[in-house]
């Protein structure tokens, strides 16, 4: 599958396209195969996202898992600071990245 | 080469004299033919080749095909350092955020691909209260003021 | 320390307003990201892996307690309670909001700081010797020259759209503590027949094509320093390659043109520019110098240090450095706790370091390119009190220049260009050597890690270097040996096939063991490597 990601223009936060809006959580990302360019263009010009791009992902236990490690780190946060990731309560979150 | 006459809608000049009414030629054709008084300098051209002919030049256009290619700043300053007093026009991908530096390097006319917003231009040109270094404009560097 | 006058302040304030306006236009959609990007980069604002990242300039690595407090406050107010000190003697914040960026710059301006030209294809923050003004071996304090060049290069109208970034370092002793010859321009202030002048080394750098800068002029008179730099830059701006981003650094120009031809063109441009009056008067240099006069060192201080506490004694041996004034040392605060993140400091740690600088070091701090902090002028008599305070805050690691004192770039944990993570590797190596107790025996061993070929972690210059590569989507690490950024500068060589994360930690230990086995009296790791060459290491690593 293809999913769409970018950053929030104002805050810089990593966001994922949910089909109708942008979410901080990669779990909310939907398949955009075929329409990624169109959505990216439209959302960027409306300034709802900055620097959007589509990536490959697979479904893993019911939610999308980016295929490249870089996007998995983006999805979660720095593995060396679990307290600053989106899952601060999960000390092993770094393993999801690898 | 193509004809360089362009839509002059976006032309902004900081000079009193009349603009040259004919198209600028390439540096190569300028050096070959003797009657042109307007030349266009591309980023890869050596502006120093024009120096022996400055007295018959009334317009030098310096092209910025992409704003990030800064060779034109050196071309401009070199010409001013050599005593060129005719019009020095920045053309191409000239954005409001670059015009202040361009003025400092000796440009006194702009012909951007996309028109500049006048207020933004005004703001940009009056932005810097002082300058740290001498360049091709007449501004006094901070160090000269400190030791006046 | 240099203090802004009203001119300097006006310039920085104007820049804040300019950026505020640019950020507003971006948020309102009047600027596209493509147009905004070079503008934000010239103010140190990147879009990184997780958020905007702001890089704040610390000119030649020198700051006072007020400034360090301000950096701490920014970490607290606008970021997530910490900052990262970098190999370029700057600080980076990882979680900045575009909406806040102009306010941060305004806060910085209040303490005479800025983020101007910390990124972009312009002349970057100028780095220098972190022991400047304190080192026993310098011919003069190099920082006034760095400050002169800082002002010259700020908002330079001709050199703000160079082919690529441009980094200058200035030192003034034969011992090179600033990786001078791995900069685009390295300047060494030298003394010749009682006169001071500047030796220019041009075309060094790391990145994907590391090169050691050749000397193009051994002695530029100090009253022509700026003019000579201008000539070097103009030749580069006109002739540096713009067709390929990876070949755009000045090192490639000097290499392709040849140092002789480059020098010839610089000299011709220099002769021309001498007529143009671009050099500030000598009085300006003298004015700047007055800011860098020695603090009032006390006379007749004791050189005795009570070494009865062995932990303290170890820290003194490892982390303090000879000072030019009797009774003083320069003390290094390690930002490399075992298992920690190299170069990171929390808000509280920054506040503490600021207070300690005020109490014990004439209000001055320095950022080292090795991502540590220096208190340059500490009375030996105060060392124990200083160490006690540092220890309590987790800042007392006694590991300067040891295998635990690792340089690591942010790597894949923070950087969008990375191939692999750097920080976890650094953490595991420091834990390994702290646990196996070999740190002491290994002595000076400079280990440097980059998460990709851009070499922000100086891996080419490590006695041991580690480079993160991407092996079909999996993190992999190459091992390099034999580099040095110091006066015995050399570029490290790759040992062979790469290793996975666990493998690279073992590989470092294997290389260290070869050294321990092979070394002769007094040799550092680097000396042994230079004597015995790569083969014994390869045999041990790949068997
Ligand atoms: C996280 C954001 C960063 C990005 C995007 C970045 C990007 C780059 C790039 C692209 C290069 C290669 C330039 C070239 O060869 O033309 C480079 C070089 C370098 N960077 Fe970074 N960097 C980052 C962070 C850092 C940090 C945190 C440090 C200090 C720890 C640093 C210090 C350096 C140094 C010392 C070099 C080598 C200079 C040279 O090539 O001569 N950078 N960086
Ligand atoms: S070396 Fe590579 S991974 Fe490390 S900070 Fe630089 S660009 Fe990022």
């Amino acid at each position: 599958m293809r999913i769409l990601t970018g950053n929030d223009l104002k805050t810089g936060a990593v966001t994922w396209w949910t089909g109708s809006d942008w979410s901080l959580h990669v779990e909310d990302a939907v398949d955009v195969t075929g329409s990624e360019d169109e959505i990216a263009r439209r959302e960027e010009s409306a300034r709802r996202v900055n620097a959007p791009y589509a990536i490959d992902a697979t479904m893993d236990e019911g939610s999308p898992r980016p295929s490249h490690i870089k996007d998995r780190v983006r999805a979660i946060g720095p593995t060396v600071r679990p307290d600053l990731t989106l899952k601060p309560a999960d000390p092993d979150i770094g393993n999801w990245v690898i | 080469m193509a004809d360089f006459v362009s839509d002059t809608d976006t032309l902004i000049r900081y000079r009193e004299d009349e603009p040259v009414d004919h198209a600028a030629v390439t540096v190569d054709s300028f050096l070959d033919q003797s009657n042109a008084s307007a030349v266009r300098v591309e980023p890869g051209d050596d502006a120093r080749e024009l120096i022996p002919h400055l007295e018959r030049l009334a317009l030098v256009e310096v092209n910025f095909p992409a704003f990030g290619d800064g060779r034109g700043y050196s071309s401009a300053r070199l010409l001013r350092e050599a005593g060129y007093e005719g019009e020095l026009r920045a053309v191409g991908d000239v954005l409001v955020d670059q015009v202040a530096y361009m003025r400092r390097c000796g440009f006194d006319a702009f012909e951007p691909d996309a028109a500049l917003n006048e207020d933004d231009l005004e703001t940009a040109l009056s932005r810097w209260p002082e300058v740290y270094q001498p360049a091709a404009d007449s501004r006094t560097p901070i160090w000269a003021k400190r030791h006046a | 320390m240099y203090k802004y006058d009203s001119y300097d302040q006006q310039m920085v304030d104007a820049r804040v307003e300019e950026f505020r306006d640019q950020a507003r236009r971006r948020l309102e959609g009047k600027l596209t990201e493509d147009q905004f990007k070079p503008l934000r980069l010239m103010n140190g604002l990147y879009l990184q892996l997780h958020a905007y990242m702001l890089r704040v300039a610390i000119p030649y690595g020198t700051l006072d307690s007020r400034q360090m407090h301000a950096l701490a406050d920014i970490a607290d107010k606008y970021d997530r309670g910490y900052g990262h000190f970098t190999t370029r003697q700057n600080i980076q914040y990882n979680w900045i909001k575009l909406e806040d960026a102009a306010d941060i710059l305004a806060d910085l301006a209040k303490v005479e700081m800025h983020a101007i030209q910390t990124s972009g294809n312009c002349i970057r923050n100028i780095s220098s010797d972190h022991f400047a003004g304190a080192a026993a071996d310098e011919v003069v304090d190099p920082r006034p020259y760095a400050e002169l060049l800082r002002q010259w290069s700020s908002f330079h109208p001709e050199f703000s759209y160079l082919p690529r970034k441009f980094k200058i370092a200035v030192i003034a002793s034969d011992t090179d503590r600033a990786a001078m010859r791995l900069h685009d321009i390295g300047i060494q202030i030298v003394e010749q027949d009682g006169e001071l002048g500047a030796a220019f080394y041009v075309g060094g750098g790391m990145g994907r094509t590391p090169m050691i800068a050749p000397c193009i002029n051994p002695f530029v008179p100090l009253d022509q320093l700026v003019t000579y730099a201008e000539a070097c830059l103009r030749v580069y701006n006109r002739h540096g390659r713009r067709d390929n981003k990876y070949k755009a650094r000045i090192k490639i120009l000097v290499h392709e043109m040849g140092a002789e031809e480059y020098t010839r063109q610089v000299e011709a441009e220099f002769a021309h520019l001498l007529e143009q009056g671009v050099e500030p008067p000598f009085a300006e240099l003298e004015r700047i110098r007055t800011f860098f006069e020695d603090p009032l060192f006390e006379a007749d201080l004791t050189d005795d240090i009570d070494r009865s506490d062995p932990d303290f004694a170890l820290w003194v041996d490892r982390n303090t450095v000879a000072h030019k004034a009797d009774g003083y040392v320069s003390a290094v605060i390690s930002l490399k706790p075992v298992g920690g993140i190299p170069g990171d400091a929390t808000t509280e740690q920054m506040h503490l370091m600021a207070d300690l600088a005020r109490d014990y070091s004439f209000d001055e701090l320095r950022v080292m390119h090795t991502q540590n902090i220096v208190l340059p002028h500490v009375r030996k008599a105060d060392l124990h009190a200083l160490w006690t305070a540092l220890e309590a805050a987790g800042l007392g690691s006694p590991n300067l220049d040891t295998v635990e004192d690792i340089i690591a770039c942010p790597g894949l944990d923070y950087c969008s260009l990375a191939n692999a993570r750097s920080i976890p590797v650094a953490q595991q190596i420091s834990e390994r050597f702290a646990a196996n107790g070999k740190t002491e025996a290994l002595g000076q061993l400079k280990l440097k890690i980059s998460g990709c070929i851009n070499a922000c972690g100086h891996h080419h210059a490590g006695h041991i270097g580690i480079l993160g590569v991407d092996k079909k989507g999996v993190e992999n690490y190459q091992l390099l040996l034999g580099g040095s950024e110091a006066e015995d500068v050399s570029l490290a060589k790759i040992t062979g096939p790469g290793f996975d994360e666990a493998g690279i930690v073992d590989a470092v230990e294997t290389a260290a063991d070869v050294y321990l086995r092979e070394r002769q009296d007094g040799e550092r790791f680097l000396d042994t490597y230079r004597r015995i060459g790569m083969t014994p290491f390869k045999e041990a690593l790949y068997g």
Side-chain angles (χ1 to χ4, degrees):
Chain A
M1 68 191 284
R2 301 276 290 165
I3 59 178
L4 201 56
T5 181
N7 295 77
D8 186 79
L9 177 61
K10 285 186 198 161
T11 66
V14 174
T15 56
W16 307 88
W17 177 246
T18 67
S20 58
D21 203 351
W22 295 88
S23 163
L24 295 177
H25 303 282
V26 69
E27 294 92 319
D28 300 334
V30 294
D31 191 1
V32 292
T33 307
S35 53
E36 51 262 55
D37 290 348
E38 182 206 324
I39 301 171
R41 213 174 306 120
R42 184 190 71 215
E43 291 295 308
E44 181 160 41
S45 61
R47 280 172 283 130
R48 284 189 288 264
V49 70
N50 191 15
Y53 63 100
I55 59 167
D56 289 329
T58 52
M59 281 313 269
D60 175 46
E61 294 179 13
S63 58
R65 177 180 163 85
S67 301
H68 197 279
I69 183 171
K70 188 177 296 181
D71 297 307
R72 295 197 290 278
V73 177
R74 275 186 91 236
I76 289 299
T79 64
V80 291
R81 289 293 303 267
D83 57 319
L84 301 181
T85 64
L86 288 175
K87 314 259 185 210
D90 180 356
D92 294 325
I93 190 65
N95 294 337
W96 180 82
V97 166
I98 310 161
Chain B
M1 281 297 287
D3 172 2
F4 283 120
V5 181
S6 60
D7 174 13
T8 50
D9 271 350
T10 68
L11 179 63
I12 299 159
R13 295 176 85 242
Y14 297 88
R15 301 179 61 90
E16 302 297 312
D17 55 356
E18 284 300 309
V20 173
D21 60 1
H22 62 271
V25 300
T26 64
V27 170
D28 280 349
S29 39
F30 174 81
L31 294 173
D32 288 348
Q33 82 186 56
S34 54
N35 56 354
S37 64
V39 65
R40 169 182 283 222
V41 177
E42 297 295 334
D45 290 336
D46 182 359
R48 282 213 161 97
E49 291 183 353
L50 299 174
I51 289 176
H53 316 285
L54 293 182
E55 70 293 344
R56 68 182 170 89
L57 272 171
L59 169 65
V60 177
E61 292 182 357
V62 177
N63 189 26
F64 289 84
F67 72 84
D69 186 336
R71 285 176 282 188
Y73 295 88
S74 288
S75 301
R77 226 181 128 194
L78 281 174
L79 292 171
R80 291 298 189 211
E81 285 167 359
Y84 175 64
E85 287 177 357
E87 180 172 338
L88 195 49
R89 189 186 292 179
V91 305
D93 193 15
V94 173
L95 306 174
V96 71
D97 297 287
Q98 280 92 49
V99 292
Y101 286 163
M102 288 180 173
R103 286 290 276 149
R104 297 223 58 217
C105 287
F107 286 104
D108 54 9
F110 302 105
E111 194 177 351
D113 289 341
L116 303 178
N117 174 301
E118 258 181 60
D119 291 343
D120 291 346
L121 181 65
E122 196 61 28
T123 314
L125 287 177
S126 55
R127 174 73 66 197
W128 299 106
E130 303 291 344
V131 296
Y132 272 120
Q133 56 298 87
D137 55 357
S138 56
R139 298 191 70 175
T140 308
I142 288 171
W143 48 251
K145 295 188 173 184
R146 282 179 178 143
H147 301 281
Chain C
M1 256 188 69
Y2 187 71
K3 292 269 175 276
Y4 284 6
D5 64 5
S6 61
Y7 293 115
D8 298 308
Q9 192 66 48
Q10 281 177 54
M11 294 301 280
V12 170
D13 291 345
R15 179 59 157 225
V16 174
E17 286 322 304
E18 179 186 49
F19 182 71
R20 194 180 289 287
D21 184 52
Q22 290 164 344
R24 177 185 54 76
R25 283 190 284 141
R26 173 68 187 121
L27 288 167
E28 287 171 359
K30 290 187 183 154
L31 287 176
T32 65
E33 186 63 11
D34 282 349
Q35 291 167 338
F36 182 56
K37 188 173 172 185
L39 305 175
R40 64 168 161 74
L41 287 180
M42 293 235 185
N43 290 285
L45 194 67
Y46 287 76
L47 188 55
Q48 266 309 320
L49 208 52
H50 308 296
Y52 293 99
M53 175 205 100
L54 181 69
R55 184 181 288 161
V56 175
I58 302 177
Y60 31 91
T62 295
L63 71 173
D64 63 16
S65 64
R66 185 179 60 129
Q67 293 172 321
M68 186 63 112
H69 281 305
L71 294 178
D73 287 337
I74 288 169
D76 198 38
K77 188 168 166 196
Y78 303 104
D79 203 89
R80 301 176 80 168
Y82 69 108
H84 178 74
F85 289 97
T86 79
T87 43
R88 301 222 63 255
Q89 299 176 296
N90 292 327
I91 185 170
Q92 292 183 179
Y93 298 102
N94 295 302
W95 306 92
I96 296 301
K97 297 183 172 65
L98 178 56
E99 305 172 291
D100 291 336
D103 292 338
I104 300 174
L105 298 185
D107 285 3
L108 287 169
K110 285 185 201 134
V111 294
E112 304 175 23
M113 294 187 89
H114 59 75
I116 296 164
Q117 293 173 207
T118 56
S119 179
N121 294 332
C122 50
I123 303 171
R124 303 287 190 86
N125 185 33
I126 293 171
S127 53
S128 187
D129 186 336
H130 43 250
F131 294 137
D137 60 356
E138 70 188 12
V139 300
V140 65
D141 188 332
R143 292 172 301 165
Y145 311 95
E147 175 59 27
L148 190 73
L149 291 169
R150 182 190 74 83
Q151 297 192 21
W152 158 76
S153 61
S154 293
F155 319 111
H156 199 293
E158 187 178 339
F159 305 136
S160 290
Y161 294 92
L162 294 168
R164 201 74 180 88
K165 58 166 94 170
F166 205 92
K167 302 176 179 180
I168 301 178
V170 186
I171 65 171
S173 57
D174 287 333
T175 308
D176 181 0
R177 288 172 287 256
M180 182 271 286
R181 291 185 68 189
L182 297 172
H183 282 72
D184 296 284
I185 294 184
I187 294 173
Q188 182 179 350
I189 307 296
V190 291
E191 197 173 342
Q192 234 179 51
D193 309 324
E195 290 281 312
L196 291 176
F200 270 69
Y201 294 83
V202 182
M206 289 181 261
R208 67 185 59 218
T209 326
M211 289 193 191
I212 296 168
C215 182
I216 69 154
N217 190 323
F219 196 86
V220 176
L222 285 185
D223 56 0
Q224 298 175 344
L225 180 68
V226 165
T227 310
Y228 203 84
E230 185 127 340
C232 291
L233 264 295
R234 179 175 283 177
V235 173
Y236 172 54
N237 190 45
R238 298 188 72 214
H239 301 296
R241 285 181 62 173
R242 295 187 187 253
D243 58 328
N244 180 341
K245 183 178 160 183
Y246 301 120
K247 300 199 167 169
R249 297 285 294 267
I250 195 174
K251 61 192 173 191
I252 305 291
L253 177 72
V254 173
H255 182 73
E256 289 183 351
M257 198 182 240
E260 266 175 40
E261 173 59 14
Y262 174 76
T263 308
R264 193 193 61 74
Q265 294 198 18
V266 168
E267 294 291 334
E269 197 68 65
F270 177 55
H272 162 74
L273 284 169
L274 282 174
E275 308 292 305
Q276 300 296 323
V278 299
E279 189 75 31
F282 210 68
E284 176 61 3
L285 190 54
E286 303 274 87
R287 183 190 76 91
I288 294 173
R289 273 193 194 133
T290 59
F291 293 101
F292 294 94
E293 276 164 11
D294 283 346
L296 293 172
F297 295 126
E298 291 167 53
D300 307 321
L301 289 180
T302 172
D303 275 320
D304 293 340
I305 297 173
D306 175 359
R307 302 174 55 93
S308 52
D309 178 339
D311 290 340
F312 171 61
L314 180 66
W315 180 80
V316 170
D317 291 342
R318 288 251 185 86
N319 284 37
T320 65
V321 176
H323 196 283
K324 65 182 181 187
D326 291 340
Y328 287 87
V329 290
S330 298
V332 176
I333 303 175
S334 169
L335 298 182
K336 317 290 176 65
V338 172
I341 299 179
D344 274 13
T346 64
T347 300
E348 295 74 27
Q349 288 175 331
M350 286 189 251
H351 281 310
L352 176 73
M353 292 190 285
D355 287 339
L356 294 173
R358 181 201 56 206
D359 294 346
Y360 298 122
S361 184
F362 294 94
D363 209 33
E364 246 190 82
L365 306 107
R366 309 288 175 76
V367 181
M368 300 170 77
H369 82 267
T370 56
Q371 305 179 286
N372 295 311
I373 304 293
V374 179
L375 299 184
H377 318 294
V378 181
R379 288 190 306 201
K380 289 181 181 168
D382 289 333
L383 280 173
H384 194 270
L386 171 64
W387 172 76
T388 307
L390 290 172
E391 270 285 284
L395 291 169
S397 301
N399 54 14
L400 176 67
D401 286 343
T402 68
V403 66
E404 295 169 23
D405 184 10
I406 300 168
I407 291 183
C409 79
L412 191 51
D413 281 299
Y414 291 100
C415 175
S416 51
L417 302 175
N419 288 323
R421 289 172 297 160
S422 317
I423 298 167
V425 174
Q427 290 173 314
Q428 289 172 45
I429 293 172
S430 68
E431 280 166 352
R432 169 76 61 94
F433 285 92
N436 68 22
K438 291 180 189 169
T439 302
E440 175 72 38
L442 289 168
Q444 192 197 84
L445 207 179
K446 298 186 183 178
L447 206 154
K448 309 184 188 216
I449 310 176
S450 305
C452 80
I453 194 76
N454 287 322
C456 305
H458 291 193
H459 64 273
H460 301 296
H463 297 180
I464 298 181
I466 295 174
L467 167 64
V469 292
D470 180 335
K471 200 172 167 195
K472 302 199 181 94
V474 178
E475 296 166 295
N476 195 265
Y477 299 90
Q478 291 181 341
L479 185 69
L480 296 89
L481 300 176
S484 171
E485 84 293 356
E487 59 284 359
D488 60 352
V489 60
S490 61
L491 300 171
K493 291 199 175 62
I494 295 175
T495 55
F499 303 88
D500 65 11
E501 192 178 322
I504 190 69
V505 180
D506 292 340
V508 169
E509 188 171 359
T510 303
D513 287 341
V514 172
Y515 157 70
L516 291 176
R517 189 183 73 215
E518 301 286 337
R519 70 174 165 187
Q520 296 176 354
D521 273 358
E523 273 183 347
R524 304 169 298 164
F525 178 93
L526 182 63
D527 304 321
T528 302
Y529 169 82
R530 285 178 175 169
R531 180 172 53 78
I532 67 177
M534 184 66 101
T535 313
F537 291 95
K538 272 192 161 166
E539 279 165 6
L541 288 163
Y542 304 105

